[in-house]
Amino acid sequence: MENSSLLFFQLAPWLVFLPVLGLLINLTIGVKLSEKGTGAVAAIASGLTFVVASLLVYSLVRQPEGTVVPLASWIHVGTLTIDWAFRVDTLSATMMLVVSGVGTLIHIYAIGYMHEDVRFKNDLGRYRRFFIFLNLFIAMMMILVSGNSYSMLFVGWEGVGLCSFLLIGFWYDMDTLGRPSFANSDAAKKAFIANRVGDFGFLMAAFMMFWKFGSTNFTEVFAKVTSADPGTILWITLFLLLGVAGKSAQIPLYVWLPDAMAGPTPVSALIHAATMVTAGVYLVSRSAPIYALSHDAQYIVATVGAVTGLFAATIAVAQYDLKKVLAYSTISQLGFMVAAVGMGAYVAGMFHLITHAFFKALLFLSAGSVILGMERGHHHLAHGHAEAHGTEVFNPNDMRNMGGLRKQMPVTFWLYVAGTLALQGIFPFAGFWSKDEILADAFKEFPHVYWLLTIAAFLTAFYMGRQIWLVFFGNPRSEVAKHAEESPLIMTAPLMVLAFLSVFGGLLNLPGVDTLTSWLKHTFESVGVAIEPGAFNLNVALVSTGLALLAIFLSWWLYLRKPLVAGQIDPLKKLFGPIFTGMENKWYVDEGYQFLFVDRYNDLARFLAQKVDWDFWHEWFHNSIIRDGFVGLTRFLADPVDLGVVDKISHVLADAVQSSANSLRKLQNGFVRSYALSVMLGVVVILGYLLLK
Amino acid sequence: MVPLNYYLALSAILFSMGALGILIRRNSLIIFMSVELMLNAANLSFVIFARQWAANSASVFNGQIFVFFVMTVAAAEVAVGLALIVVIFRSHQSIDIDQLNNLKG
Amino acid sequence: MTGELILFLILALTAIASAAGMLLSRHAVYAALYLVLNFATVAVFYLILGSPFIALAQVSVYGGAIMVLFLFVIMLLGAEQIPAEIKWKNILPAVILGLALVGQTLYLVFQKIAFSNLPLENSVAEANPTHLAKSLFSTYLLPFEITSILLLVAMVGAIVLTKQEKKGGRG
């Protein structure tokens, strides 16, 4: 043990406190701050979080076994003890570094992006809210990755879900093109509900852990899981997989992620590409000791990941929306990661997670830059001749409107190319190393996963090539594209950092050097999971690189040999026809879900509302039984009982009194002598009574 | 000495005849006379009882004094009663008691 | 049968007969005169029973003052007779009640009351008016005075009731 005064583990709670502090500042005195000030506060809070994460990593280098920093007691009920503690080990520190690092860059980028966004319209309240949400997201993500138990992890898990919901629906009163609509808030709700399904699985897994092991603490669960029966382990892992599928957008719950592109582009980059959606991968890595005990679970997870990887890649091929392509690409790449961690290649999965965070954030942010460039062009044009563009709604996300942007936006172009090459897995970019490590592991462990992922990688290279050709090469297919403008430095500077990372990220875990492997080894081996250095397979690398190059060539052949002109049908559609249409329409999964779940749910809701609630409860039970019964009872009480008995009694009494009064009134006839006769009668009667007594 | 019971019987008969007079006559003056007859019969009873208790010197005159008071009251009653009859006759032009039936319900 | 009893019977019959006469006479003046006879007969009974003062008061107050007042009113009003005064159909309940009352009282008198029939002490009887006056003005002084007020009130009342209001007068 080294001198502990040099270690910074005790700073771990500041990972959460700093972004919370940032959001509190913006929340309270943010009204006084300018636009730049608001963004600066949020970015500085995030940046300080990155500093703390770096210090933790520095401490971990000195003391790789890590530590647990307790902060507060949370739930103490019976035998259940859940505390808020920060687990600082190499795995969580890696995530912290990625989240805070990429997060900080995106914060900086967002300062410029949100200012430029045409939907912003100088609404400072929204601007501030955006950064509050971003800081909240960083805090929640930190809780997620630093949690010491599944319960704490779930807090962050739900927290980031909430932030995701809030930020997808950030432009809640419009659709993606800025028209008044509920489309964005619908997308947010879709994301939230799809995540609920996943969260159900997570909760069930946590409940089973508590039921079987009496704790949700990582250490205790991992210690007891080795003696658990296989059924329990399988159920826990499958329920966890459901949670992973929700959060990391795997089949069958991936449908929310493409719609999540309704949020601002920095959000798409940060939450829906780089960090939050990888929480599922992190969860599986964290639960490695459980998954390691069940080969079936590993098989299922790997297959789900691989199938998702291929499935999403096919859809990405036929999308026209710039961000939708990236969204399906993200799903596909998440499939790679899930497949990797499913196979037990945790390091490869984490490696791909990191590099993906770099290049996908870069791609999204560059795409945002492109979109803003298009919007600036549109703005420019609209000022030139307003009447021509008065009614027509221009979609700046549509690749069919782009083309030739290389000349207008050179910086963005080169950044985009760097990200694209990394994603396509071209040597020596970051993606090449991480993807090949996964493929090599798959080749060794699960051949079917390897084949699925290889095809997915081929398609990845193809759709990214298609995107590059369509966006940046050829001739502008719209007036707007001709007038697109480059983005300011505040946006491109973070991109340059990300581009650097995308190019050189592979250095983290070069075959033979295995920096990341030995780094993460500490964590995994401490919980009894053996880690082998990633096997570099030259054949696999050559095949995948060759396929990638082939795909790029094919895309060039199709899209640039004869550059597309405005209004032209996608050349791929001529080749594949119905298949392309299926891909274009996302294989009708949304429609299927609509038919299978949404419509059924609506039918059920309508049935419950109309038949059960209205017809049965309201009309029948309430009206017929209660109301009519009450009316009948009251009528019975009123007519036969009240009128018939009670009133009859009083009427009889009244009539008796009246008739007797009538007859007695005759006595009161005013004739004095008759009164005297009565007195006389009384005298006689009383006297007779006295005499006879 | 005639038994006092006989006197009392006479008193009772006279009283009853007075009462009968009230019941059967319509002339208010005669009714009034019947009332006097009843008072008289009652007075007779007082005197009879006074005679009975004469041996007891302490209460020897109580009965007679009652008779005296009754006579006084009767005199006052007659004075007022006849005045009333006069007033009634003035308003109704009759002393028929059956026409004085305003006291009916 | 002693002479005293014969006297009693004669007087009693006279009293009853005169009462009946008053009861049945259609003419009010006759009725009044029968009543005077009745009062006189009763006054004789008072004398027999040892109450000379009461007997004289009876004759003077009743037979004199009151009955004169009656006759005076009868004459004054000129309403001696009322047509069909006694409706014989209607008097049956009254007669029955009257007979019942007589029967009850006779039963009471002869079955329930036992008199000692002491002979009258002469001293007491002779000293009667003196003692009566003494008693009246000592023991019964307050009722006596109240009686005088009663008579005054009756007199005033009679005057007020019968006073004719002059037209336009102040009443």
Side-chain angles (χ1 to χ4, degrees):
Chain A
M1 178 82 59
E2 294 200 32
N3 185 356
S4 58
S5 65
L6 285 173
L7 302 178
F8 300 100
F9 290 127
Q10 297 307 316
L11 285 175
W14 289 96
L15 290 171
V16 176
F17 293 166
L18 283 169
V20 169
L21 201 63
L23 83 86
L24 284 179
I25 289 172
N26 272 336
L27 201 61
T28 50
I29 62 168
V31 211
K32 303 257 170 64
L33 294 176
S34 67
E35 189 188 314
K36 289 274 187 297
T38 304
V41 166
I44 288 168
S46 178
L48 288 175
T49 313
F50 177 68
V51 171
V52 172
S54 306
L55 289 172
L56 291 176
V57 169
Y58 164 78
S59 307
L60 279 171
V61 172
R62 299 287 195 81
Q63 189 182 318
E65 55 268 35
T67 186
V68 171
V69 183
L71 181 65
S73 61
W74 180 28
I75 299 176
H76 285 218
V77 180
T79 56
L80 178 65
T81 303
I82 301 172
D83 289 331
W84 187 7
F86 291 80
R87 186 184 180 93
V88 183
D89 57 20
T90 52
L91 180 61
S92 63
T94 309
M95 289 297 289
M96 292 170 196
L97 211 55
V98 170
V99 170
S100 59
V102 177
T104 305
L105 292 173
I106 292 174
H107 270 76
I108 296 166
Y109 172 89
I111 296 172
Y113 181 89
M114 290 307 287
H115 177 74
E116 299 279 327
D117 196 318
V118 289
R119 294 172 291 198
F120 166 46
K121 299 190 184 90
N122 275 324
D123 184 356
L124 265 183
R126 273 214 165 148
Y127 193 82
R128 199 168 72 243
R129 193 162 73 228
F130 179 79
F131 282 100
I132 288 169
F133 287 164
L134 275 192
N135 269 350
L136 181 65
F137 170 76
I138 297 286
M140 285 303 170
M141 198 67 202
M142 287 302 169
I143 291 176
L144 194 161
V145 298
S146 65
N148 186 36
S149 63
Y150 283 98
S151 307
M152 246 4 254
L153 196 153
F154 190 66
V155 172
W157 187 272
E158 288 300 298
V160 293
L162 171 69
C163 293
S164 166
F165 167 77
L166 292 171
L167 286 164
I168 294 168
F170 187 73
W171 307 110
Y172 53 82
D173 49 355
M174 51 186 87
D175 64 7
T176 45
L177 299 179
R179 294 172 295 197
S181 158
F182 288 119
N184 284 1
S185 54
D186 283 346
K189 279 185 277 184
K190 187 176 180 182
F192 205 69
I193 291 166
N195 268 300
R196 289 276 72 67
V197 180
D199 294 341
F200 161 76
F202 191 113
L203 273 179
M204 289 305 290
F207 290 154
M208 281 193 75
M209 286 173 202
F210 175 65
W211 180 32
K212 294 288 183 187
F213 312 135
S215 173
T216 57
N217 189 293
F218 291 141
T219 318
E220 290 178 44
V221 170
F222 298 156
K224 288 176 182 166
V225 77
T226 45
S227 54
D229 61 293
T232 307
I233 294 170
L234 187 62
W235 278 112
I236 289 177
T237 52
L238 289 182
F239 277 129
L240 280 179
L241 175 62
L242 188 57
V244 170
K247 193 61 83 189
S248 289
Q250 299 298 295
I251 289 174
L253 297 176
Y254 71 90
V255 288
W256 65 271
L257 188 56
D259 287 10
M261 295 304 127
T265 303
V267 171
S268 306
L270 177 62
I271 301 183
H272 305 119
T275 53
M276 183 193 84
V277 289
T278 60
V281 181
Y282 170 75
L283 177 66
V284 179
S285 303
R286 184 49 88 188
S287 311
I290 306 177
Y291 279 96
L293 291 170
S294 172
H295 190 265
D296 291 343
Q298 287 190 324
Y299 185 87
I300 293 167
V301 174
T303 308
V304 166
V307 171
T308 307
L310 178 57
F311 187 77
T314 60
I315 298 173
V317 167
Q319 296 302 307
Y320 297 111
D321 187 308
L322 189 60
K323 282 175 76 179
K324 284 279 167 68
V325 174
L326 294 176
Y328 281 104
S329 166
T330 303
I331 297 170
S332 170
Q333 294 303 307
L334 287 168
F336 274 79
M337 296 175 219
V338 171
V341 293
M343 290 183 296
Y346 302 109
V347 176
M350 289 303 293
F351 184 29
H352 197 56
L353 188 156
I354 296 165
T355 57
H356 176 257
F358 295 154
F359 60 69
K360 191 50 70 64
L362 171 63
L363 283 172
F364 263 115
L365 298 183
S366 306
S369 175
V370 169
I371 292 162
L372 282 190
M374 293 290 285
E375 278 177 354
R376 275 191 289 268
H378 183 237
H379 190 67
H380 181 78
L381 271 184
H383 271 277
H385 24 114
E387 69 280 4
H389 294 267
T391 52
E392 186 189 349
V393 176
F394 172 72
N395 187 354
N397 290 13
D398 196 327
M399 293 193 292
R400 286 170 295 193
N401 292 334
M402 302 178 188
L405 289 178
R406 175 169 44 106
K407 300 186 187 74
Q408 277 81 21
M409 307 181 76
V411 180
T412 306
F413 166 65
W414 285 113
L415 294 169
Y416 210 101
V417 166
T420 303
L421 291 174
L423 175 54
Q424 285 169 326
I426 303 299
F427 181 85
F429 291 90
F432 168 77
W433 304 104
S434 58
K435 189 188 285 181
D436 264 1
E437 194 169 330
I438 293 172
L439 290 174
D441 278 325
F443 187 69
K444 204 165 54 180
E445 307 267 347
F446 296 104
H448 70 288
V449 171
Y450 168 76
W451 289 114
L452 288 169
L453 290 183
T454 303
I455 300 168
F458 170 77
L459 290 173
T460 304
F462 179 82
Y463 63 68
M464 286 315 290
R466 170 177 178 261
Q467 194 171 44
I468 288 284
W469 307 136
L470 283 177
V471 173
F472 291 102
F473 288 87
N475 300 316
R477 283 182 295 279
S478 69
E479 284 297 307
V480 174
K482 279 181 197 159
H483 294 85
E485 291 170 16
E486 184 57 272
S487 296
L489 187 64
I490 191 163
M491 289 169 65
T492 49
L495 298 186
M496 290 169 193
V497 178
L498 284 172
F500 174 81
L501 291 169
S502 301
V503 175
F504 298 104
L507 294 175
L508 278 174
N509 203 24
L510 286 177
V513 183
D514 296 330
T515 324
L516 191 66
T517 308
S518 53
W519 167 254
L520 291 176
K521 206 173 183 174
H522 298 295
T523 300
F524 285 109
E525 292 193 340
S526 73
V527 291
V529 177
I531 292 293
E532 294 167 13
F536 183 72
N537 189 323
L538 189 63
N539 293 328
V540 171
L542 286 175
V543 166
S544 61
T545 309
L547 282 173
L549 291 172
L550 175 65
I552 292 168
F553 171 74
L554 277 176
S555 60
W556 176 83
W557 178 269
L558 282 168
Y559 291 99
L560 201 63
R561 194 170 52 87
K562 285 186 284 180
L564 260 64
V565 293
Q568 184 187 341
I569 300 170
D570 195 296
L572 210 56
K573 193 161 188 168
K574 280 180 267 180
L575 283 175
F576 291 105
I579 299 176
F580 186 83
T581 310
M583 294 193 290
E584 192 179 354
N585 291 297
K586 309 154 196 171
W587 299 117
Y588 302 100
V589 170
D590 277 342
E591 286 77 5
Y593 280 6
Q594 176 80 25
F595 176 75
L596 274 178
F597 299 110
V598 180
D599 287 350
R600 295 293 83 76
Y601 181 82
N602 283 338
D603 289 346
L604 179 66
R606 205 169 290 123
F607 170 78
L608 287 174
Q610 182 62 37
K611 298 286 178 205
V612 175
D613 184 61
W614 185 255
D615 288 350
F616 176 75
W617 281 111
H618 186 269
E619 291 291 328
W620 185 77
F621 187 77
H622 186 262
N623 278 4
S624 301
I625 301 294
I626 297 189
R627 190 194 63 189
D628 293 352
F630 185 76
V631 167
L633 181 66
T634 48
R635 192 166 290 140
F636 169 74
L637 286 175
D639 282 351
V641 176
D642 189 49
L643 289 180
V645 176
V646 180
D647 276 18
K648 189 77 88 184
I649 290 172
S650 50
H651 278 153
V652 164
L653 283 173
D655 289 347
V657 169
Q658 200 168 21
S659 59
S660 60
N662 271 337
S663 53
L664 285 174
R665 197 172 57 190
K666 287 169 191 159
L667 296 175
Q668 186 86 2
N669 53 8
F671 294 111
V672 177
R673 291 189 302 150
S674 67
Y675 300 163
L677 192 66
S678 308
V679 173
M680 184 80 171
L681 180 66
V683 169
V684 169
V685 168
I686 291 171
L687 194 56
Y689 170 73
L690 289 174
L691 287 174
L692 293 173
K693 193 175 67 175
Chain B
M1 182 70 194
V2 176
L4 291 179
N5 301 52
Y6 291 9
Y7 290 97
L8 273 177
L10 175 66
S11 169
I13 290 166
L14 290 176
F15 185 89
S16 301
M17 291 178 78
L20 199 57
I22 292 170
L23 295 178
I24 65 174
R25 297 305 294 253
R26 289 165 64 191
N27 190 325
S28 55
L29 280 167
I30 291 176
I31 288 173
F32 214 168
M33 288 177 202
S34 301
V35 170
E36 296 303 322
L37 182 61
M38 289 168 76
L39 281 169
N40 220 38
N43 281 349
L44 182 57
S45 298
F46 273 121
V47 173
I48 292 161
F49 285 112
R51 169 71 182 78
Q52 167 64 26
W53 301 111
N56 190 343
S57 59
S59 58
V60 66
F61 299 119
N62 288 2
Q64 296 184 19
I65 285 168
F66 258 97
V67 173
F68 176 75
F69 285 135
V70 170
M71 281 180 179
T72 322
V73 171
E77 175 210 335
V78 166
V80 177
L82 287 175
L84 284 169
I85 287 173
V86 168
V87 174
I88 289 167
F89 185 78
R90 276 186 197 151
S91 61
H92 285 73
Q93 300 303 318
S94 167
I95 52 170
D96 186 347
I97 200 88
D98 282 358
Q99 293 186 3
L100 305 177
N101 58 356
N102 294 336
L103 277 173
K104 64 183 174 187
Chain C
M1 185 178 285
T2 63
E4 205 178 355
L5 185 58
I6 294 167
L7 178 62
F8 170 78
L9 287 174
I10 293 167
L11 286 172
L13 285 172
T14 311
I16 292 169
S18 61
M22 182 213 73
L23 213 58
L24 300 174
S25 60
R26 301 182 63 181
H27 204 289
V29 176
Y30 293 162
L33 290 175
Y34 278 123
L35 193 59
V36 171
L37 177 59
N38 182 276
F39 284 167
T41 317
V42 172
V44 177
F45 281 122
Y46 289 165
L47 275 173
I48 293 170
L49 291 168
S51 305
F53 174 74
I54 298 298
L56 287 174
Q58 170 87 354
V59 170
S60 58
V61 174
Y62 267 124
I66 293 178
M67 290 322 294
V68 166
L69 200 57
F70 265 103
L71 287 170
F72 191 73
V73 170
I74 293 166
M75 303 300 183
L76 179 73
L77 297 181
E80 297 88 357
Q81 271 185 298
I82 294 174
E85 193 186 352
I86 300 173
K87 288 174 181 162
W88 296 101
K89 285 184 291 181
N90 295 348
I91 65 168
L92 189 62
V95 172
I96 291 169
L97 280 176
L99 289 176
L101 191 61
V102 170
Q104 284 174 330
T105 45
L106 288 180
Y107 174 77
L108 185 70
V109 166
F110 289 107
Q111 298 296 322
K112 297 282 183 177
I113 299 171
F115 286 106
S116 56
N117 265 349
L118 293 176
L120 191 63
E121 285 178 30
N122 291 336
S123 61
V124 175
E126 284 168 8
N128 195 359
T130 317
H131 288 94
L132 186 70
K134 279 183 181 170
S135 183
L136 198 58
F137 286 100
S138 57
T139 313
Y140 298 102
L141 182 62
L142 184 63
F144 183 78
E145 295 296 341
I146 292 173
T147 314
S148 63
I149 294 171
L150 180 69
L151 285 168
L152 178 66
V153 170
M155 186 174 72
V156 173
I159 292 166
V160 169
L161 281 171
T162 53
K163 186 181 179 188
Q164 293 268 29
E165 290 190 15
K166 290 172 185 171
K167 284 185 178 175
R170 287 176 292 162

